[in-house]
Amino acid sequence: MTHDALTPDQAGARLHELTVIDVRTPGEYATGHLPGAHNVPLDHLDAALPTLRAAAERGDLLVVCASGARSAEACRRLAGAGVPAATLTGGTSTWTQLGHDVHRPVGIRAPWPMERQVRLTAGALVLAGLFAGRLRAEARWISAGVAGGLVVSAVTGTCGMARLLAKLPHNRPKATDLDATLAALSN
């Protein structure tokens, strides 16, 4: 692949020739993914490495996530293992904003998008810290902690709260059948 990143329009034009790997959690994947995308959550990337290497030998890999941060991390890890891959600029969020098609599995109730869950949780914790701070001043540290976490998240491009929320049962409606995904990638 000649680029380290593809815009949604570039990826859309080449979608038929790309092997798309979605590194989001199964819950996020269920909210909608690029047509033909295979779900290999980021925490399963190492186990999938031999299959991804073989897929990359057959054609170009496009790695996607919600915003592009996790897919960029996956591409760095893949490159370190000698597997070339590109990331989708702006992730599936930008993909859908630009009107590109997404596939949503029928009959699966998808949770809210992770960004919305993070906003709700962060806002609720800040409010709780402020209200509890009226009774005990130390409780305001809850709000300060959330604010600090949001700053770190923005600076680093990572989100600890999203990682925690991803572990909740409603965000894991069905575990990825990694063996089935790897078998599909092998064909």
PDB file of all heavy atoms in Angstrom, residues 7-47:
ATOM      1  N   THR A   7      -8.273   8.398   2.997  1.00  0.00           N
ATOM      2  CA  THR A   7      -9.456   9.163   3.347  1.00  0.00           C
ATOM      3  C   THR A   7     -10.672   8.274   3.102  1.00  0.00           C
ATOM      4  O   THR A   7     -10.583   7.275   2.368  1.00  0.00           O
ATOM      5  CB  THR A   7      -9.582  10.433   2.474  1.00  0.00           C
ATOM      6  OG1 THR A   7      -9.813  10.023   1.118  1.00  0.00           O
ATOM      7  CG2 THR A   7      -8.338  11.310   2.575  1.00  0.00           C
ATOM      8  N   PRO A   8     -11.820   8.624   3.671  1.00  0.00           N
ATOM      9  CA  PRO A   8     -13.017   7.820   3.397  1.00  0.00           C
ATOM     10  C   PRO A   8     -13.338   7.713   1.906  1.00  0.00           C
ATOM     11  O   PRO A   8     -13.734   6.642   1.434  1.00  0.00           O
ATOM     12  CB  PRO A   8     -14.116   8.561   4.163  1.00  0.00           C
ATOM     13  CG  PRO A   8     -13.389   9.159   5.322  1.00  0.00           C
ATOM     14  CD  PRO A   8     -12.068   9.603   4.737  1.00  0.00           C
ATOM     15  N   ASP A   9     -13.152   8.782   1.163  1.00  0.00           N
ATOM     16  CA  ASP A   9     -13.431   8.715  -0.279  1.00  0.00           C
ATOM     17  C   ASP A   9     -12.460   7.786  -0.998  1.00  0.00           C
ATOM     18  O   ASP A   9     -12.860   7.011  -1.868  1.00  0.00           O
ATOM     19  CB  ASP A   9     -13.405  10.120  -0.901  1.00  0.00           C
ATOM     20  CG  ASP A   9     -14.583  10.966  -0.458  1.00  0.00           C
ATOM     21  OD1 ASP A   9     -15.634  10.397  -0.076  1.00  0.00           O
ATOM     22  OD2 ASP A   9     -14.464  12.208  -0.494  1.00  0.00           O
ATOM     23  N   GLN A  10     -11.176   7.850  -0.631  1.00  0.00           N
ATOM     24  CA  GLN A  10     -10.200   6.939  -1.234  1.00  0.00           C
ATOM     25  C   GLN A  10     -10.524   5.489  -0.887  1.00  0.00           C
ATOM     26  O   GLN A  10     -10.482   4.612  -1.750  1.00  0.00           O
ATOM     27  CB  GLN A  10      -8.784   7.278  -0.753  1.00  0.00           C
ATOM     28  CG  GLN A  10      -8.232   8.583  -1.262  1.00  0.00           C
ATOM     29  CD  GLN A  10      -6.941   8.973  -0.551  1.00  0.00           C
ATOM     30  OE1 GLN A  10      -6.744   8.684   0.627  1.00  0.00           O
ATOM     31  NE2 GLN A  10      -6.064   9.658  -1.285  1.00  0.00           N
ATOM     32  N   ALA A  11     -10.841   5.255   0.370  1.00  0.00           N
ATOM     33  CA  ALA A  11     -11.176   3.896   0.803  1.00  0.00           C
ATOM     34  C   ALA A  11     -12.446   3.410   0.127  1.00  0.00           C
ATOM     35  O   ALA A  11     -12.531   2.254  -0.299  1.00  0.00           O
ATOM     36  CB  ALA A  11     -11.323   3.848   2.321  1.00  0.00           C
ATOM     37  N   GLY A  12     -13.445   4.292   0.012  1.00  0.00           N
ATOM     38  CA  GLY A  12     -14.701   3.913  -0.632  1.00  0.00           C
ATOM     39  C   GLY A  12     -14.495   3.486  -2.070  1.00  0.00           C
ATOM     40  O   GLY A  12     -15.110   2.520  -2.540  1.00  0.00           O
ATOM     41  N   ALA A  13     -13.614   4.187  -2.773  1.00  0.00           N
ATOM     42  CA  ALA A  13     -13.339   3.855  -4.169  1.00  0.00           C
ATOM     43  C   ALA A  13     -12.610   2.521  -4.306  1.00  0.00           C
ATOM     44  O   ALA A  13     -12.725   1.848  -5.324  1.00  0.00           O
ATOM     45  CB  ALA A  13     -12.508   4.966  -4.820  1.00  0.00           C
ATOM     46  N   ARG A  14     -11.878   2.122  -3.271  1.00  0.00           N
ATOM     47  CA  ARG A  14     -11.080   0.891  -3.331  1.00  0.00           C
ATOM     48  C   ARG A  14     -11.624  -0.217  -2.448  1.00  0.00           C
ATOM     49  O   ARG A  14     -10.987  -1.263  -2.300  1.00  0.00           O
ATOM     50  CB  ARG A  14      -9.644   1.199  -2.891  1.00  0.00           C
ATOM     51  CG  ARG A  14      -8.916   2.169  -3.802  1.00  0.00           C
ATOM     52  CD  ARG A  14      -7.465   2.341  -3.400  1.00  0.00           C
ATOM     53  NE  ARG A  14      -6.811   1.049  -3.325  1.00  0.00           N
ATOM     54  CZ  ARG A  14      -5.742   0.817  -2.561  1.00  0.00           C
ATOM     55  NH1 ARG A  14      -5.220   1.769  -1.829  1.00  0.00           N
ATOM     56  NH2 ARG A  14      -5.193  -0.382  -2.531  1.00  0.00           N
ATOM     57  N   LEU A  15     -12.802  -0.016  -1.863  1.00  0.00           N
ATOM     58  CA  LEU A  15     -13.321  -0.958  -0.876  1.00  0.00           C
ATOM     59  C   LEU A  15     -13.379  -2.391  -1.400  1.00  0.00           C
ATOM     60  O   LEU A  15     -13.104  -3.340  -0.669  1.00  0.00           O
ATOM     61  CB  LEU A  15     -14.712  -0.504  -0.408  1.00  0.00           C
ATOM     62  CG  LEU A  15     -15.211  -1.088   0.897  1.00  0.00           C
ATOM     63  CD1 LEU A  15     -14.243  -0.817   2.041  1.00  0.00           C
ATOM     64  CD2 LEU A  15     -16.573  -0.516   1.239  1.00  0.00           C
ATOM     65  N   HIS A  16     -13.696  -2.550  -2.670  1.00  0.00           N
ATOM     66  CA  HIS A  16     -13.803  -3.889  -3.263  1.00  0.00           C
ATOM     67  C   HIS A  16     -12.470  -4.634  -3.303  1.00  0.00           C
ATOM     68  O   HIS A  16     -12.436  -5.858  -3.381  1.00  0.00           O
ATOM     69  CB  HIS A  16     -14.391  -3.783  -4.679  1.00  0.00           C
ATOM     70  CG  HIS A  16     -13.510  -3.020  -5.613  1.00  0.00           C
ATOM     71  ND1 HIS A  16     -13.428  -1.638  -5.603  1.00  0.00           N
ATOM     72  CD2 HIS A  16     -12.662  -3.439  -6.577  1.00  0.00           C
ATOM     73  CE1 HIS A  16     -12.567  -1.244  -6.528  1.00  0.00           C
ATOM     74  NE2 HIS A  16     -12.086  -2.321  -7.135  1.00  0.00           N
ATOM     75  N   GLU A  17     -11.357  -3.916  -3.228  1.00  0.00           N
ATOM     76  CA  GLU A  17     -10.047  -4.565  -3.300  1.00  0.00           C
ATOM     77  C   GLU A  17      -9.302  -4.585  -1.966  1.00  0.00           C
ATOM     78  O   GLU A  17      -8.214  -5.132  -1.881  1.00  0.00           O
ATOM     79  CB  GLU A  17      -9.173  -3.872  -4.356  1.00  0.00           C
ATOM     80  CG  GLU A  17      -8.807  -2.446  -3.999  1.00  0.00           C
ATOM     81  CD  GLU A  17      -8.080  -1.696  -5.108  1.00  0.00           C
ATOM     82  OE1 GLU A  17      -8.617  -1.646  -6.229  1.00  0.00           O
ATOM     83  OE2 GLU A  17      -6.992  -1.171  -4.828  1.00  0.00           O
ATOM     84  N   LEU A  18      -9.885  -3.996  -0.942  1.00  0.00           N
ATOM     85  CA  LEU A  18      -9.242  -3.927   0.368  1.00  0.00           C
ATOM     86  C   LEU A  18      -9.785  -5.010   1.304  1.00  0.00           C
ATOM     87  O   LEU A  18     -10.951  -5.369   1.228  1.00  0.00           O
ATOM     88  CB  LEU A  18      -9.495  -2.564   1.024  1.00  0.00           C
ATOM     89  CG  LEU A  18      -8.933  -1.337   0.324  1.00  0.00           C
ATOM     90  CD1 LEU A  18      -9.493  -0.063   0.958  1.00  0.00           C
ATOM     91  CD2 LEU A  18      -7.418  -1.346   0.376  1.00  0.00           C
ATOM     92  N   THR A  19      -8.932  -5.477   2.192  1.00  0.00           N
ATOM     93  CA  THR A  19      -9.373  -6.315   3.301  1.00  0.00           C
ATOM     94  C   THR A  19      -9.484  -5.374   4.488  1.00  0.00           C
ATOM     95  O   THR A  19      -8.487  -4.799   4.928  1.00  0.00           O
ATOM     96  CB  THR A  19      -8.367  -7.446   3.594  1.00  0.00           C
ATOM     97  OG1 THR A  19      -8.251  -8.268   2.432  1.00  0.00           O
ATOM     98  CG2 THR A  19      -8.825  -8.289   4.770  1.00  0.00           C
ATOM     99  N   VAL A  20     -10.704  -5.194   4.978  1.00  0.00           N
ATOM    100  CA  VAL A  20     -10.956  -4.220   6.037  1.00  0.00           C
ATOM    101  C   VAL A  20     -10.982  -4.940   7.386  1.00  0.00           C
ATOM    102  O   VAL A  20     -11.728  -5.900   7.574  1.00  0.00           O
ATOM    103  CB  VAL A  20     -12.286  -3.470   5.805  1.00  0.00           C
ATOM    104  CG1 VAL A  20     -12.514  -2.426   6.900  1.00  0.00           C
ATOM    105  CG2 VAL A  20     -12.286  -2.810   4.425  1.00  0.00           C
ATOM    106  N   ILE A  21     -10.175  -4.435   8.310  1.00  0.00           N
ATOM    107  CA  ILE A  21     -10.080  -4.973   9.663  1.00  0.00           C
ATOM    108  C   ILE A  21     -10.565  -3.887  10.620  1.00  0.00           C
ATOM    109  O   ILE A  21      -9.977  -2.814  10.700  1.00  0.00           O
ATOM    110  CB  ILE A  21      -8.621  -5.368  10.024  1.00  0.00           C
ATOM    111  CG1 ILE A  21      -8.011  -6.295   8.965  1.00  0.00           C
ATOM    112  CG2 ILE A  21      -8.553  -5.956  11.419  1.00  0.00           C
ATOM    113  CD1 ILE A  21      -8.742  -7.605   8.784  1.00  0.00           C
ATOM    114  N   ASP A  22     -11.640  -4.173  11.347  1.00  0.00           N
ATOM    115  CA  ASP A  22     -12.210  -3.234  12.314  1.00  0.00           C
ATOM    116  C   ASP A  22     -11.722  -3.641  13.697  1.00  0.00           C
ATOM    117  O   ASP A  22     -12.038  -4.728  14.174  1.00  0.00           O
ATOM    118  CB  ASP A  22     -13.742  -3.286  12.247  1.00  0.00           C
ATOM    119  CG  ASP A  22     -14.418  -2.164  12.997  1.00  0.00           C
ATOM    120  OD1 ASP A  22     -13.940  -1.815  14.096  1.00  0.00           O
ATOM    121  OD2 ASP A  22     -15.429  -1.647  12.491  1.00  0.00           O
ATOM    122  N   VAL A  23     -10.934  -2.772  14.343  1.00  0.00           N
ATOM    123  CA  VAL A  23     -10.312  -3.118  15.621  1.00  0.00           C
ATOM    124  C   VAL A  23     -11.112  -2.632  16.836  1.00  0.00           C
ATOM    125  O   VAL A  23     -10.622  -2.678  17.960  1.00  0.00           O
ATOM    126  CB  VAL A  23      -8.855  -2.593  15.706  1.00  0.00           C
ATOM    127  CG1 VAL A  23      -7.975  -3.286  14.664  1.00  0.00           C
ATOM    128  CG2 VAL A  23      -8.783  -1.085  15.557  1.00  0.00           C
ATOM    129  N   ARG A  24     -12.349  -2.214  16.612  1.00  0.00           N
ATOM    130  CA  ARG A  24     -13.189  -1.787  17.735  1.00  0.00           C
ATOM    131  C   ARG A  24     -13.693  -3.005  18.506  1.00  0.00           C
ATOM    132  O   ARG A  24     -13.558  -4.142  18.064  1.00  0.00           O
ATOM    133  CB  ARG A  24     -14.382  -0.970  17.216  1.00  0.00           C
ATOM    134  CG  ARG A  24     -13.962   0.332  16.541  1.00  0.00           C
ATOM    135  CD  ARG A  24     -15.139   1.082  15.987  1.00  0.00           C
ATOM    136  NE  ARG A  24     -15.806   0.289  14.958  1.00  0.00           N
ATOM    137  CZ  ARG A  24     -17.046   0.505  14.534  1.00  0.00           C
ATOM    138  NH1 ARG A  24     -17.766   1.490  15.045  1.00  0.00           N
ATOM    139  NH2 ARG A  24     -17.575  -0.252  13.592  1.00  0.00           N
ATOM    140  N   THR A  25     -14.311  -2.736  19.639  1.00  0.00           N
ATOM    141  CA  THR A  25     -14.902  -3.811  20.437  1.00  0.00           C
ATOM    142  C   THR A  25     -16.081  -4.408  19.675  1.00  0.00           C
ATOM    143  O   THR A  25     -16.640  -3.754  18.781  1.00  0.00           O
ATOM    144  CB  THR A  25     -15.396  -3.285  21.795  1.00  0.00           C
ATOM    145  OG1 THR A  25     -16.469  -2.372  21.566  1.00  0.00           O
ATOM    146  CG2 THR A  25     -14.272  -2.620  22.574  1.00  0.00           C
ATOM    147  N   PRO A  26     -16.493  -5.623  20.016  1.00  0.00           N
ATOM    148  CA  PRO A  26     -17.657  -6.216  19.355  1.00  0.00           C
ATOM    149  C   PRO A  26     -18.914  -5.341  19.470  1.00  0.00           C
ATOM    150  O   PRO A  26     -19.699  -5.247  18.529  1.00  0.00           O
ATOM    151  CB  PRO A  26     -17.844  -7.552  20.072  1.00  0.00           C
ATOM    152  CG  PRO A  26     -16.491  -7.894  20.571  1.00  0.00           C
ATOM    153  CD  PRO A  26     -15.849  -6.578  20.931  1.00  0.00           C
ATOM    154  N   GLY A  27     -19.092  -4.692  20.613  1.00  0.00           N
ATOM    155  CA  GLY A  27     -20.251  -3.817  20.791  1.00  0.00           C
ATOM    156  C   GLY A  27     -20.218  -2.637  19.842  1.00  0.00           C
ATOM    157  O   GLY A  27     -21.233  -2.271  19.244  1.00  0.00           O
ATOM    158  N   GLU A  28     -19.056  -2.025  19.697  1.00  0.00           N
ATOM    159  CA  GLU A  28     -18.922  -0.900  18.765  1.00  0.00           C
ATOM    160  C   GLU A  28     -19.108  -1.376  17.327  1.00  0.00           C
ATOM    161  O   GLU A  28     -19.757  -0.698  16.527  1.00  0.00           O
ATOM    162  CB  GLU A  28     -17.547  -0.247  18.913  1.00  0.00           C
ATOM    163  CG  GLU A  28     -17.330   0.487  20.209  1.00  0.00           C
ATOM    164  CD  GLU A  28     -15.904   0.976  20.330  1.00  0.00           C
ATOM    165  OE1 GLU A  28     -14.993   0.136  20.504  1.00  0.00           O
ATOM    166  OE2 GLU A  28     -15.709   2.199  20.250  1.00  0.00           O
ATOM    167  N   TYR A  29     -18.533  -2.511  17.007  1.00  0.00           N
ATOM    168  CA  TYR A  29     -18.651  -3.085  15.662  1.00  0.00           C
ATOM    169  C   TYR A  29     -20.123  -3.295  15.304  1.00  0.00           C
ATOM    170  O   TYR A  29     -20.546  -3.034  14.185  1.00  0.00           O
ATOM    171  CB  TYR A  29     -17.870  -4.400  15.637  1.00  0.00           C
ATOM    172  CG  TYR A  29     -17.903  -5.169  14.340  1.00  0.00           C
ATOM    173  CD1 TYR A  29     -17.095  -4.812  13.276  1.00  0.00           C
ATOM    174  CD2 TYR A  29     -18.726  -6.290  14.212  1.00  0.00           C
ATOM    175  CE1 TYR A  29     -17.102  -5.554  12.094  1.00  0.00           C
ATOM    176  CE2 TYR A  29     -18.735  -7.037  13.036  1.00  0.00           C
ATOM    177  CZ  TYR A  29     -17.921  -6.659  11.986  1.00  0.00           C
ATOM    178  OH  TYR A  29     -17.936  -7.391  10.823  1.00  0.00           O
ATOM    179  N   ALA A  30     -20.923  -3.737  16.290  1.00  0.00           N
ATOM    180  CA  ALA A  30     -22.344  -4.000  16.057  1.00  0.00           C
ATOM    181  C   ALA A  30     -23.137  -2.734  15.773  1.00  0.00           C
ATOM    182  O   ALA A  30     -24.209  -2.795  15.178  1.00  0.00           O
ATOM    183  CB  ALA A  30     -22.952  -4.733  17.258  1.00  0.00           C
ATOM    184  N   THR A  31     -22.603  -1.564  16.172  1.00  0.00           N
ATOM    185  CA  THR A  31     -23.322  -0.306  15.912  1.00  0.00           C
ATOM    186  C   THR A  31     -23.283   0.065  14.433  1.00  0.00           C
ATOM    187  O   THR A  31     -24.041   0.921  14.005  1.00  0.00           O
ATOM    188  CB  THR A  31     -22.757   0.870  16.736  1.00  0.00           C
ATOM    189  OG1 THR A  31     -21.414   1.141  16.329  1.00  0.00           O
ATOM    190  CG2 THR A  31     -22.832   0.586  18.219  1.00  0.00           C
ATOM    191  N   GLY A  32     -22.408  -0.542  13.681  1.00  0.00           N
ATOM    192  CA  GLY A  32     -22.282  -0.267  12.251  1.00  0.00           C
ATOM    193  C   GLY A  32     -20.818  -0.273  11.852  1.00  0.00           C
ATOM    194  O   GLY A  32     -19.982   0.303  12.541  1.00  0.00           O
ATOM    195  N   HIS A  33     -20.530  -0.940  10.755  1.00  0.00           N
ATOM    196  CA  HIS A  33     -19.150  -1.059  10.293  1.00  0.00           C
ATOM    197  C   HIS A  33     -19.102  -0.990   8.768  1.00  0.00           C
ATOM    198  O   HIS A  33     -20.128  -1.112   8.101  1.00  0.00           O
ATOM    199  CB  HIS A  33     -18.511  -2.360  10.797  1.00  0.00           C
ATOM    200  CG  HIS A  33     -19.336  -3.572  10.509  1.00  0.00           C
ATOM    201  ND1 HIS A  33     -20.296  -4.039  11.375  1.00  0.00           N
ATOM    202  CD2 HIS A  33     -19.363  -4.404   9.447  1.00  0.00           C
ATOM    203  CE1 HIS A  33     -20.869  -5.104  10.862  1.00  0.00           C
ATOM    204  NE2 HIS A  33     -20.319  -5.345   9.682  1.00  0.00           N
ATOM    205  N   LEU A  34     -17.910  -0.773   8.241  1.00  0.00           N
ATOM    206  CA  LEU A  34     -17.740  -0.734   6.794  1.00  0.00           C
ATOM    207  C   LEU A  34     -18.182  -2.066   6.200  1.00  0.00           C
ATOM    208  O   LEU A  34     -17.942  -3.120   6.794  1.00  0.00           O
ATOM    209  CB  LEU A  34     -16.282  -0.482   6.423  1.00  0.00           C
ATOM    210  CG  LEU A  34     -15.817   0.984   6.389  1.00  0.00           C
ATOM    211  CD1 LEU A  34     -15.839   1.618   7.746  1.00  0.00           C
ATOM    212  CD2 LEU A  34     -14.454   1.084   5.753  1.00  0.00           C
ATOM    213  N   PRO A  35     -18.816  -2.029   5.039  1.00  0.00           N
ATOM    214  CA  PRO A  35     -19.234  -3.279   4.394  1.00  0.00           C
ATOM    215  C   PRO A  35     -18.036  -4.218   4.208  1.00  0.00           C
ATOM    216  O   PRO A  35     -16.980  -3.806   3.751  1.00  0.00           O
ATOM    217  CB  PRO A  35     -19.784  -2.814   3.047  1.00  0.00           C
ATOM    218  CG  PRO A  35     -20.206  -1.396   3.282  1.00  0.00           C
ATOM    219  CD  PRO A  35     -19.208  -0.844   4.268  1.00  0.00           C
ATOM    220  N   GLY A  36     -18.223  -5.462   4.611  1.00  0.00           N
ATOM    221  CA  GLY A  36     -17.179  -6.474   4.446  1.00  0.00           C
ATOM    222  C   GLY A  36     -16.104  -6.457   5.516  1.00  0.00           C
ATOM    223  O   GLY A  36     -15.162  -7.253   5.450  1.00  0.00           O
ATOM    224  N   ALA A  37     -16.211  -5.572   6.507  1.00  0.00           N
ATOM    225  CA  ALA A  37     -15.181  -5.475   7.544  1.00  0.00           C
ATOM    226  C   ALA A  37     -15.193  -6.708   8.443  1.00  0.00           C
ATOM    227  O   ALA A  37     -16.244  -7.267   8.732  1.00  0.00           O
ATOM    228  CB  ALA A  37     -15.392  -4.220   8.381  1.00  0.00           C
ATOM    229  N   HIS A  38     -14.008  -7.104   8.859  1.00  0.00           N
ATOM    230  CA  HIS A  38     -13.819  -8.217   9.785  1.00  0.00           C
ATOM    231  C   HIS A  38     -13.477  -7.636  11.150  1.00  0.00           C
ATOM    232  O   HIS A  38     -12.600  -6.784  11.256  1.00  0.00           O
ATOM    233  CB  HIS A  38     -12.677  -9.130   9.318  1.00  0.00           C
ATOM    234  CG  HIS A  38     -12.898  -9.707   7.967  1.00  0.00           C
ATOM    235  ND1 HIS A  38     -13.634 -10.861   7.755  1.00  0.00           N
ATOM    236  CD2 HIS A  38     -12.491  -9.294   6.742  1.00  0.00           C
ATOM    237  CE1 HIS A  38     -13.656 -11.135   6.460  1.00  0.00           C
ATOM    238  NE2 HIS A  38     -12.978 -10.195   5.823  1.00  0.00           N
ATOM    239  N   ASN A  39     -14.130  -8.104  12.198  1.00  0.00           N
ATOM    240  CA  ASN A  39     -13.885  -7.594  13.543  1.00  0.00           C
ATOM    241  C   ASN A  39     -12.765  -8.369  14.220  1.00  0.00           C
ATOM    242  O   ASN A  39     -12.910  -9.539  14.559  1.00  0.00           O
ATOM    243  CB  ASN A  39     -15.165  -7.662  14.368  1.00  0.00           C
ATOM    244  CG  ASN A  39     -15.059  -7.000  15.725  1.00  0.00           C
ATOM    245  OD1 ASN A  39     -15.640  -7.466  16.681  1.00  0.00           O
ATOM    246  ND2 ASN A  39     -14.350  -5.899  15.829  1.00  0.00           N
ATOM    247  N   VAL A  40     -11.634  -7.695  14.386  1.00  0.00           N
ATOM    248  CA  VAL A  40     -10.497  -8.216  15.141  1.00  0.00           C
ATOM    249  C   VAL A  40     -10.182  -7.143  16.183  1.00  0.00           C
ATOM    250  O   VAL A  40      -9.436  -6.209  15.908  1.00  0.00           O
ATOM    251  CB  VAL A  40      -9.264  -8.484  14.246  1.00  0.00           C
ATOM    252  CG1 VAL A  40      -8.096  -8.991  15.089  1.00  0.00           C
ATOM    253  CG2 VAL A  40      -9.593  -9.457  13.131  1.00  0.00           C
ATOM    254  N   PRO A  41     -10.804  -7.236  17.368  1.00  0.00           N
ATOM    255  CA  PRO A  41     -10.573  -6.210  18.392  1.00  0.00           C
ATOM    256  C   PRO A  41      -9.085  -6.006  18.657  1.00  0.00           C
ATOM    257  O   PRO A  41      -8.295  -6.957  18.574  1.00  0.00           O
ATOM    258  CB  PRO A  41     -11.287  -6.759  19.625  1.00  0.00           C
ATOM    259  CG  PRO A  41     -12.333  -7.675  19.071  1.00  0.00           C
ATOM    260  CD  PRO A  41     -11.708  -8.279  17.843  1.00  0.00           C
ATOM    261  N   LEU A  42      -8.726  -4.774  18.974  1.00  0.00           N
ATOM    262  CA  LEU A  42      -7.324  -4.424  19.171  1.00  0.00           C
ATOM    263  C   LEU A  42      -6.635  -5.345  20.170  1.00  0.00           C
ATOM    264  O   LEU A  42      -5.484  -5.729  19.965  1.00  0.00           O
ATOM    265  CB  LEU A  42      -7.209  -2.957  19.628  1.00  0.00           C
ATOM    266  CG  LEU A  42      -5.808  -2.366  19.696  1.00  0.00           C
ATOM    267  CD1 LEU A  42      -5.103  -2.453  18.348  1.00  0.00           C
ATOM    268  CD2 LEU A  42      -5.878  -0.929  20.170  1.00  0.00           C
ATOM    269  N   ASP A  43      -7.338  -5.752  21.208  1.00  0.00           N
ATOM    270  CA  ASP A  43      -6.699  -6.623  22.201  1.00  0.00           C
ATOM    271  C   ASP A  43      -6.519  -8.061  21.708  1.00  0.00           C
ATOM    272  O   ASP A  43      -5.903  -8.881  22.382  1.00  0.00           O
ATOM    273  CB  ASP A  43      -7.428  -6.589  23.544  1.00  0.00           C
ATOM    274  CG  ASP A  43      -8.885  -7.001  23.471  1.00  0.00           C
ATOM    275  OD1 ASP A  43      -9.424  -7.133  22.362  1.00  0.00           O
ATOM    276  OD2 ASP A  43      -9.495  -7.194  24.541  1.00  0.00           O
ATOM    277  N   HIS A  44      -7.013  -8.384  20.516  1.00  0.00           N
ATOM    278  CA  HIS A  44      -6.808  -9.707  19.911  1.00  0.00           C
ATOM    279  C   HIS A  44      -5.842  -9.640  18.712  1.00  0.00           C
ATOM    280  O   HIS A  44      -5.636 -10.637  18.025  1.00  0.00           O
ATOM    281  CB  HIS A  44      -8.138 -10.282  19.407  1.00  0.00           C
ATOM    282  CG  HIS A  44      -9.069 -10.703  20.494  1.00  0.00           C
ATOM    283  ND1 HIS A  44      -9.604  -9.836  21.403  1.00  0.00           N
ATOM    284  CD2 HIS A  44      -9.561 -11.912  20.809  1.00  0.00           C
ATOM    285  CE1 HIS A  44     -10.387 -10.486  22.228  1.00  0.00           C
ATOM    286  NE2 HIS A  44     -10.380 -11.750  21.894  1.00  0.00           N
ATOM    287  N   LEU A  45      -5.270  -8.476  18.477  1.00  0.00           N
ATOM    288  CA  LEU A  45      -4.441  -8.272  17.292  1.00  0.00           C
ATOM    289  C   LEU A  45      -3.253  -9.232  17.240  1.00  0.00           C
ATOM    290  O   LEU A  45      -2.963  -9.798  16.187  1.00  0.00           O
ATOM    291  CB  LEU A  45      -3.954  -6.816  17.240  1.00  0.00           C
ATOM    292  CG  LEU A  45      -3.366  -6.355  15.921  1.00  0.00           C
ATOM    293  CD1 LEU A  45      -4.425  -6.354  14.828  1.00  0.00           C
ATOM    294  CD2 LEU A  45      -2.782  -4.960  16.058  1.00  0.00           C
ATOM    295  N   ASP A  46      -2.580  -9.431  18.358  1.00  0.00           N
ATOM    296  CA  ASP A  46      -1.407 -10.319  18.355  1.00  0.00           C
ATOM    297  C   ASP A  46      -1.773 -11.745  17.977  1.00  0.00           C
ATOM    298  O   ASP A  46      -1.036 -12.393  17.225  1.00  0.00           O
ATOM    299  CB  ASP A  46      -0.707 -10.282  19.719  1.00  0.00           C
ATOM    300  CG  ASP A  46      -0.074  -8.919  19.996  1.00  0.00           C
ATOM    301  OD1 ASP A  46       0.228  -8.193  19.034  1.00  0.00           O
ATOM    302  OD2 ASP A  46       0.102  -8.583  21.182  1.00  0.00           O
ATOM    303  N   ALA A  47      -2.920 -12.227  18.466  1.00  0.00           N
ATOM    304  CA  ALA A  47      -3.354 -13.588  18.133  1.00  0.00           C
ATOM    305  C   ALA A  47      -3.680 -13.719  16.646  1.00  0.00           C
ATOM    306  O   ALA A  47      -3.529 -14.793  16.067  1.00  0.00           O
ATOM    307  CB  ALA A  47      -4.572 -13.975  18.972  1.00  0.00           C
TER     308      ALA A  47
END
